[in-house]
Amino acid sequence: MKIGFVISFPFLYLAISLLEDCLAKRSKDIYCGACLALIDEVNWDISQVDPKEKIQVGSFRIDSKGNQALQEIPLARSAVHLTEVLEGVCNQMSNYASSTNADGRRSYVRTNSRDGSAVSLTNIEITGEVHSQLKFACESLIEDHEDNLIPAFQTGLDNMPELICVELMDVCSKINITDFIDANRAVRTNPAKASDVTDDVEEEDDEEEEESKDEL
């Protein structure tokens, strides 16, 4: 005997809506981590530009007196440079991994140094899933707030994480900022232990390599 099930359209619609809400729900620690990492990366890019390098902005039209309304401003914090930096900054999320502190709060740390020097990793979990989640969150934040991000970075204020991640985007608390700073400082100062680092990406590659050897 066959038993048939009939799913009404309203029920199906409700199920799909709930699923979409679940998938679209933002994990606050991921979005906070992406925001703080974004600021760190953009500030570093700004710092790499020669302060003496200028760019002309304004109108190239010639007025009645034969003059152009142009002015030179530093390139580093210009809208042109910041727009370019924001277009590629989310690719840097692959350099970050999750870390949990003694109080059980999750943060995100940069797992390689920009100058090529060795870093120390303690209680770090490196996964492809974290990379993709951070990148998606980063892209979403920029898409939602790009018009406000560029003016914020142009100010050059020291409290950029609080200004952007707490006040503008509302994805972090002040304690999250402290945790991010402490975790990334620890990466550069504490001695590393290989056993403290969990790298699921490398473990998967090792398993595939072992399977290939067995087949041979």
Side-chain angles (χ1 to χ4, degrees), residues 7-203:
I7 300 177
S8 65
F9 179 77
F11 178 82
L12 181 60
Y13 179 80
L14 177 60
I16 293 175
S17 297
L18 291 174
L19 178 61
E20 289 178 344
D21 289 342
C22 181
L23 293 175
K25 184 179 180 181
R26 294 185 172 185
S27 172
K28 195 156 187 176
D29 73 312
I30 283 285
Y31 276 79
C32 177
C35 182
L36 294 173
L38 182 159
I39 292 173
D40 193 57
E41 294 296 330
V42 172
N43 281 338
W44 183 82
D45 274 318
I46 290 172
S47 72
Q48 298 308 294
V49 178
D50 186 345
K52 297 179 181 178
E53 192 169 355
K54 308 288 184 179
I55 184 174
Q56 287 188 330
V57 297
S59 174
F60 286 88
R61 293 182 179 180
I62 299 176
D63 61 21
S64 59
K65 296 181 180 180
N67 300 317
Q68 290 179 319
L70 294 175
Q71 61 175 324
E72 285 193 342
I73 62 171
L75 173 63
R77 295 189 184 276
S78 67
V80 172
H81 180 242
L82 289 173
T83 298
E84 182 180 341
V85 171
L86 288 174
E87 286 177 353
V89 69
C90 295
N91 292 328
Q92 297 301 322
M93 297 302 111
S94 61
N95 292 316
Y96 287 81
S98 63
S99 174
T100 304
N101 66 15
D103 294 323
R105 292 191 300 272
R106 185 181 297 273
S107 188
Y108 296 88
V109 298
R110 205 175 202 281
T111 56
N112 55 67
S113 62
R114 298 184 179 99
D115 60 6
S117 60
V119 294
S120 301
L121 305 178
T122 303
N123 297 326
I124 302 299
E125 183 180 3
I126 304 174
T127 69
E129 182 181 8
V130 167
H131 295 162
S132 61
Q133 288 177 342
L134 285 172
K135 184 178 181 182
F136 178 81
C138 175
E139 292 170 342
S140 298
L141 291 174
I142 291 177
E143 182 179 354
D144 293 344
H145 300 281
E146 185 172 7
D147 291 343
N148 293 317
L149 273 175
I150 291 177
F153 280 113
Q154 287 179 319
T155 65
L157 296 175
D158 292 334
N159 65 333
M160 202 69 67
E162 183 176 344
L163 175 66
I164 294 177
C165 301
V166 178
E167 298 179 10
L168 173 61
M169 298 183 177
D170 190 27
V171 292
C172 291
S173 65
K174 292 182 179 180
I175 190 65
N176 294 140
I177 298 173
T178 301
D179 288 345
F180 181 86
I181 293 171
D182 289 346
N184 281 277
R185 183 183 294 120
V187 165
R188 297 188 294 270
T189 59
N190 290 338
K193 295 180 181 179
S195 59
D196 291 331
V197 182
T198 302
D199 191 336
D200 288 352
V201 177
E202 290 186 2
E203 287 176 0

